[in-house]
Amino acid sequence: MYQAFLIKYGEIGIKGKNRYLFEDALVKQIRHALKPVEGEFKVSKEQGRIYVACPQDYDYDDAVEALQRVFGIVGICPTVCVEDEGFDKLAQDVLAYMDDVYPDKNMSFKVCARRARKNYPMDSMEINAKMGHRILEAYPQLHVDVHNPQIMLTIEVREKIYIYSEIIPGPGGMPVGTNGKCMLLLSGGIDSPVAGYMVAKRGVKIDAVYFHAPPYTSERAKQKVVDLASQVAKYSGPVYLYVVNFTDIQLYIYDKCPHDELTIIMRRYMMRIAEELARKNEALGLITGESIGQVASQTVQSLAATNEVCTMPVFRPLIAFDKQDIIDIAEKIGTFETSIQPYEDCCTIFVAKHPVTKPSIPVIKRSEKKLEEKIEEMVAQAIETAECVIVS
């Protein structure tokens, strides 16, 4: 019965003279999200509103699910759209709507009319009063509650008239692409996909880098990361995933450096490589899934040692989250079940038995001097041979 969706947005509405840029970006993301849904949807802007006109035959659930993954949407209103053929015809359409949507009539309601087309012969208050009267006449089981109604029946009078009463929550945030691009360090764990999702929610386009260590990590571990990138891409749009062969660098560090410093030194070289790939792809920052104190490499001292090699900003949206907070989001966005598959990544394979938890940057730099003979060449080779997989 629904011929359209009215799309409600939040922060975009306070963007002043730049508001149209954010609206256009949101329209673009809605069109992209609806492409896999069968049928031809038409997305349009009209006087501070975004409408999705639906084809005659479409899958309602698929359409709603697709819209619920578009950052920037705070509400999705399934709408009946009718032509203006006078108030009596509108009242018939409203009564039919109430009968279809609310078979149990023992509820409270309020009519909220909005008259964007000022040549309509009634103002909003008149529409509210007369339509409320018609509804009560037809369905005496209903009763009016203007303060806390169970049904908020909205009638928007524009070129056409839109009738709706349900607001399905959207993900909120900002349309992807309105706040630049960043490079996500994506592992096979629970945290990094959630970090990518959260930064994408603020309008940031996401690329990703994964450090692969064959034969110590399997092709299945790599596929697991591709699957995680695919889940993130449902919200962020297509992700360019760079797969870096990290085996030789890890073995070289393992051979030359103190084992309690392995994790920190490996992380520092991962950050160097990720930053160089980010520069090549015009990304403006790095994203990690680190949370203070979660593991030895995520103490404040360890994070400071890792940050020291970067000139780009490093965004850590999970920094103050505990594990359950992160798991809750992972379950919501559909990455948790993939993340817990038992395929090890390179970080867990080469972890030291007793890693340093309070590394000293000068000490770490002295240890890295033992790598000077080959490390720059190995890093350049890893960057040059990185495989790019486009995940959507």
Side-chain angles (χ1 to χ4, degrees), residues 11 76 156 190 204 295 312 324 334 383:
E11 289 177 66
I76 304 156
E156 290 205 6
I190 297 170
V204 177
V295 294
M312 282 184 176
Q324 191 57 51
I383 292 169

Coordinates of all heavy atoms in Angstrom, one line a residue, residues 11 76 156 190 204 295 312 324 334 383:
E11 N 21.2 16.0 11.5 CA 22.2 17.1 11.5 C 22.3 17.9 10.2 O 22.6 19.1 10.2 CB 23.6 16.5 11.7 CG 23.9 16.0 13.1 CD 25.2 15.3 13.2 OE1 26.2 16.0 13.1 OE2 25.3 14.1 13.5
I76 N 12.6 6.8 8.6 CA 12.0 6.3 7.3 C 10.5 6.2 7.6 O 10.0 5.4 8.4 CB 12.6 5.0 6.9 CG1 14.1 5.0 6.8 CG2 12.0 4.5 5.6 CD1 14.8 3.6 7.0
E156 N 0.7 15.6 5.0 CA 1.5 16.7 4.4 C 0.9 17.0 3.1 O 0.8 16.2 2.2 CB 3.0 16.2 4.2 CG 3.7 16.1 5.5 CD 5.2 16.3 5.4 OE1 5.7 16.6 4.3 OE2 5.9 16.1 6.4
I190 N 37.2 -8.5 16.2 CA 35.9 -7.9 16.5 C 35.9 -6.4 16.3 O 35.0 -5.8 15.8 CB 35.3 -8.3 17.9 CG1 35.1 -9.8 18.0 CG2 34.0 -7.6 18.2 CD1 34.8 -10.3 19.4
V204 N 32.7 9.7 6.6 CA 34.0 9.4 6.1 C 34.0 8.2 5.2 O 33.5 7.2 5.5 CB 35.0 9.2 7.2 CG1 36.4 8.9 6.7 CG2 35.1 10.4 8.1
V295 N 44.6 -5.0 25.4 CA 45.7 -5.9 25.3 C 47.0 -5.1 25.6 O 47.0 -3.9 25.7 CB 45.7 -6.6 24.0 CG1 44.5 -7.5 23.8 CG2 45.8 -5.6 22.8
M312 N 50.1 11.4 10.0 CA 48.6 11.6 9.8 C 47.9 11.4 11.2 O 48.4 10.8 12.1 CB 48.1 10.5 8.9 CG 48.3 10.7 7.4 SD 47.5 9.4 6.5 CE 47.8 10.1 4.8
Q324 N 32.3 -5.5 25.8 CA 30.8 -5.7 25.6 C 30.2 -4.6 24.7 O 29.3 -4.9 23.9 CB 30.1 -5.9 26.9 CG 28.7 -6.5 26.7 CD 28.7 -7.8 26.0 OE1 29.4 -8.7 26.3 NE2 27.8 -7.9 24.9
G334 N 26.2 -6.9 12.1 CA 26.4 -8.2 11.4 C 27.8 -8.6 11.2 O 28.0 -9.5 10.4
I383 N 54.6 -2.5 0.1 CA 53.7 -1.5 -0.5 C 53.5 -1.7 -2.0 O 52.3 -1.7 -2.5 CB 54.2 -0.1 -0.1 CG1 54.2 0.2 1.4 CG2 53.4 1.0 -0.9 CD1 54.9 1.4 1.8

